[in-house]
Every structure is written in structure tokens, then in C-alpha cells.
Amino acid sequence: MRSFEGRAGGLALTKPAEDITVLQIVLMLEEDQDFFRCTELRQQGPCAAPASQYQKPCNIARLMHQADAEWRRVLAKTSLSDLRQSVLDNRVPAVTEATEAWIAETGALRWG
């Protein structure tokens, strides 16, 4: 995949939709940023303690990192072709037609 910035930006798919995962698309668009960024409130708030008191991430950070890993796992096992089929299986004709027209008009999705 190649990305194009700007008003007419989008993605150019360089391989078949079956070989592209939704996670690959998200990571290309989001530059592989972590879903959760811990600000380490335990060291910042009114009851703060020194960093040496914290040998492990807090329960919230552990939970959020676990959720991020699960989210990525689901997206990694879903291909663009799977997503397209899901959309087709649950289509709303007017929305589908409008979306297809928008893609064609803007060139937001390019093959090759």
C-alpha cells in the first residue's frame, strides 16, 4: 500500500484485498501509534510517589495495553476483502451507492 496526502489523498493498494489486513491499513494511516498513552498519574497526582515505588505498570495501563493487543489481533485477522464482504452483506443501497460515487469522484481508493 502507498498513501497519498492531501485533499485527493488516500491509499493505493499494491496487492489483492485478500492479502491486506485492516490492521495494516490502520497502521499505515496512524503511523503505528499506541492506542493508549500512559501519563503515569501515580507520579503526578496529589498522592504521588517516586518512580522507584512503581516496578510494574498500573492496573489501568495493563488493562489498556491488553485491550490494545486484542484490538490489533482482531484487525490483523480481518482482510480488506473480509471487510468489503461484511459491508456488502449488510448494505444500505443508498449509502452504498453514495459511498461508491464518493470513492470514484475523489479517488480515495486506488488499485495498483
Side-chain angles (χ1 to χ4, degrees):
M1 286 182 295
R2 292 188 326 253
S3 65
F4 299 92
E5 293 185 21
R7 183 178 170 102
L11 294 175
L13 306 179
T14 56
K15 55 186 178 178
E18 300 82 31
D19 298 334
I20 300 170
T21 69
V22 176
L23 180 62
Q24 290 172 316
I25 294 169
V26 169
L27 295 179
M28 179 159 233
L29 296 172
E30 298 297 326
E31 299 177 356
D32 199 14
Q33 296 180 18
D34 289 331
F35 167 72
F36 174 73
R37 290 175 199 81
C38 181
T39 58
E40 200 42 86
L41 290 175
R42 300 178 298 179
Q43 298 172 36
Q44 309 295 326
C47 302
S52 62
Q53 297 293 313
Y54 303 109
Q55 301 302 315
K56 299 180 192 176
C58 74
N59 292 328
I60 293 171
R62 281 197 303 268
L63 176 65
M64 296 303 283
H65 291 305
Q66 181 182 356
D68 184 51
E70 184 65 14
W71 175 77
R72 288 171 186 262
R73 185 189 66 75
V74 170
L75 296 182
K77 73 176 189 175
T78 305
S79 72
L80 185 57
S81 181
D82 296 333
L83 182 59
R84 181 179 187 275
Q85 189 60 52
S86 175
V87 168
L88 292 174
D89 290 346
N90 298 289
R91 64 185 286 162
V92 177
V95 173
T96 302
E97 292 164 9
T99 302
E100 289 171 350
W102 175 81
I103 289 171
E105 178 183 319
T106 64
L109 185 60
R110 301 175 187 96
W111 297 93

